[in-house]
Amino acid sequence: MGASLEGKRVLVTGASQGIGREIALRLSIEGAWVAVNYLRNHDYAEKIVETITQRGGRSLLVQADVAQNDQVEKMVATIVDEWQGVDILINNAGITRDNLLIRMTEEDWDNVLDTNLKGAFLCSKAVLRHMIKSRWGRILNMSSIVALTGNAGQANYTAAKAGLIGFTRSLSLEVASRNITVNAIAP
């Protein structure tokens, strides 16, 4: 990794398993303080926090549904109260509800867009106040290659991940002058 992450306060959403779990563990190895967000997998998330602290790192367990503004605000307030700020946000939380469009329910459409796209909006907005005040921040949005290629049976997921790329481009232009970068990766 390039710049030192020592003491950087990081929020990783959807960090109880998969890519989010690995990001949280890796950032802690690099010296970052990691807030591990989860929605339902308390035991998995708690094990990640335990692993980080056993290795001598700093970690915080924060439960929140990223699609609910009140929960996001409370989560960020908890981190700020504990660590006095947030330096880096990894918008990783995401769900799938795959089905052919003709069979997809409106609820499945809404749930995927709410978690995968609206969640990034809410979390970014909540941490930006602190990043702007400190004139430094990093936001990384986890998109997907399907945002660029499409995928049968994933119209909702593809739309959310493509929207995340557009969101990233626009937000990066809004905050660049404040030494805040916003990027997306598409695994």
Side-chain angles (χ1 to χ4, degrees):
M1 295 195 146
S4 172
L5 294 175
E6 195 67 40
K8 295 292 185 194
R9 301 156 299 184
V10 183
L11 168 57
V12 181
T13 67
S16 64
Q17 58 188 346
I19 292 173
R21 175 186 185 277
E22 296 306 315
I23 290 170
L25 292 172
R26 181 61 195 198
L27 290 171
S28 72
I29 290 170
E30 297 294 328
W33 302 358
V34 182
V36 174
N37 161 258
Y38 72 100
L39 177 57
R40 291 184 189 88
N41 294 321
H42 176 82
D43 293 342
Y44 290 163
E46 191 172 54
K47 285 180 184 176
I48 296 163
V49 170
E50 288 172 9
T51 299
I52 291 170
T53 55
Q54 287 171 355
R55 293 177 179 170
R58 291 186 69 173
S59 189
L60 184 62
L61 190 62
V62 286
Q63 192 275 338
D65 180 348
V66 299
Q68 300 299 319
N69 189 54
D70 58 333
Q71 292 184 39
V72 169
E73 291 288 339
K74 183 178 176 187
M75 171 178 63
V76 172
T78 298
I79 298 165
V80 171
D81 287 347
E82 187 74 23
W83 292 342
Q84 289 68 58
V86 177
D87 302 305
I88 300 169
L89 169 63
I90 312 292
N91 279 313
N92 174 71
I95 63 170
T96 58
R97 298 289 182 270
D98 297 350
N99 211 336
L100 296 176
L101 186 70
I102 198 160
R103 294 186 187 128
M104 187 175 290
T105 66
E106 185 177 350
E107 181 181 12
D108 285 345
W109 176 272
D110 289 344
N111 288 339
V112 170
L113 266 74
D114 283 351
T115 298
N116 298 12
L117 184 56
K118 181 182 175 186
F121 158 72
L122 293 174
C123 291
S124 297
K125 186 174 179 181
V127 302
L128 272 173
R129 290 182 216 115
H130 306 286
M131 291 178 177
I132 289 170
K133 186 176 179 181
S134 67
R135 298 196 56 78
W136 195 92
R138 302 292 180 257
I139 297 174
L140 178 64
N141 297 317
M142 299 298 289
S143 183
S144 170
I145 192 65
V146 301
L148 306 172
T149 63
N151 198 29
Q154 288 192 315
N156 51 1
Y157 183 78
T158 301
K161 294 302 186 173
L164 201 51
I165 291 173
F167 171 78
T168 299
R169 289 179 173 161
S170 292
L171 183 57
S172 68
L173 295 171
E174 291 180 19
V175 298
S177 66
R178 292 173 173 86
N179 200 27
I180 300 168
T181 62
V182 186
N183 290 286
I185 61 172

